[in-house]
């Protein structure tokens, strides 16, 4: 059965974006090795779950790019969780037709590669709260924001995870992969 794998950049103090959605801190500690890690991760998935704001940002950027990462992102199926969008321009995109739990149960039963959850914070928080994420791929950047949009918020129970891999980058960012116990 397919796994639901969250992939997020996160600050040392647990934020995935600044108070107003700022992401500039990610790019200060991003290097070629991290980009290759993301590309390798994208080779193992074929479906992307994405929230409204992140969809708009990525749909504006990736279709005109030509890297392998862009090719993968552009070719993968994209399920967009939004109540505000009515049409989607990015190829291979569709609006979620059911609630998150139903969509994910249906997707996991289909043949294919793993399912990638990317931003935003609200979607990641919701799926974590519902216990729908099987694997957390977190790139922890050596940045402390002090406030912002947290990855984890209002969990009903503790989330018990098992560390399955680590990787340190020359920028002092650390890639951690955890699976649900």
């Amino acid at each position: 059965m397919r796994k639901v794998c969250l992939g997020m950049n996160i600050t040392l103090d647990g934020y995935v974006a600044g108070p107003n959605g700022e992401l500039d801190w990610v790019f200060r500690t991003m290097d070629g090795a991290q980009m290759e890690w993301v590309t390798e991760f994208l080779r193992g998935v074929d479906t992307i779950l994405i929230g409204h704001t992140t969809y708009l940002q990525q749909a504006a950027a990736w279709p005109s790019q030509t890297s392998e990462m862009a090719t993968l992102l552009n070719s993968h199926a994209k399920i967009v969780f939004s109540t505000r969008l009515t049409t989607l321009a990015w190829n291979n995109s569709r609006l979620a037709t059911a609630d998150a739990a139903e969509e994910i149960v249906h997707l996991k039963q289909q043949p294919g590669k793993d399912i990638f959850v990317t931003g935003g914070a609200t979607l990641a928080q919701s799926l974590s709260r519902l216990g729908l994420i099987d694997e957390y791929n977190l790139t922890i950047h050596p940045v402390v924001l002090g406030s912002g949009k947290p990855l984890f918020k209002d969990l009903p129970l503790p989330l018990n995870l098992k560390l399955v891999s680590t990787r340190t980058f020359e920028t002092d960012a650390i890639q951690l992969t955890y699976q649900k116990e």
Side-chain angles (χ1 to χ4, degrees):
M1 183 177 282
R2 301 166 79 184
K3 290 186 302 190
V4 175
C5 304
L6 178 111
M8 295 287 265
N9 291 292
I10 185 169
T11 64
L12 191 57
D13 54 347
Y15 297 107
V16 297
N20 298 307
E22 304 92 344
L23 295 171
D24 57 327
W25 56 270
V26 172
F27 303 105
R28 287 189 300 233
T29 58
M30 184 72 75
D31 68 3
Q34 287 171 270
M35 298 300 281
E36 180 52 39
W37 184 92
V38 173
T39 302
E40 180 63 31
F41 178 80
L42 288 170
R43 290 179 192 129
V45 302
D46 63 6
T47 304
I48 300 170
L49 306 182
I50 190 169
H52 173 97
T53 302
T54 305
Y55 170 82
L56 292 174
Q57 293 167 341
Q58 293 192 10
W62 289 112
S64 63
Q65 303 295 316
T66 59
S67 66
E68 181 184 1
M69 182 186 301
T71 299
L72 291 165
L73 287 166
N74 290 324
S75 66
H76 289 348
K78 291 164 278 295
I79 314 303
V80 182
F81 290 86
S82 174
T83 56
R84 297 176 280 172
L85 292 171
T86 55
T87 59
L88 303 173
W90 196 6
N91 65 317
N92 302 318
S93 297
R94 73 167 175 84
L95 287 167
T97 56
D99 70 20
E102 289 178 49
E103 283 283 351
I104 288 174
V105 165
H106 176 71
L107 288 169
K108 286 179 81 168
Q109 293 172 349
Q110 295 177 352
K113 296 179 179 180
D114 288 338
I115 301 161
F116 170 35
V117 178
T118 186
T122 303
L123 178 62
Q125 290 167 359
S126 175
L127 298 181
S128 288
R129 239 185 334 273
L130 294 169
L132 297 172
I133 298 175
D134 301 306
E135 183 176 280
Y136 290 84
N137 295 275
L138 306 175
T139 301
I140 301 176
H141 293 260
V143 175
V144 175
L145 293 179
S147 66
K149 297 181 180 188
L151 174 55
F152 299 105
K153 183 177 177 184
D154 301 326
L155 292 174
L157 298 169
L159 183 59
N160 296 312
L161 304 171
K162 178 182 179 180
L163 181 65
V164 294
S165 70
T166 63
R167 180 173 175 184
T168 303
F169 297 100
E170 288 184 18
T171 62
D172 295 327
I174 301 170
Q175 175 63 44
L176 303 173
T177 301
Y178 290 95
Q179 292 179 345
K180 275 191 344 187
E181 286 190 332

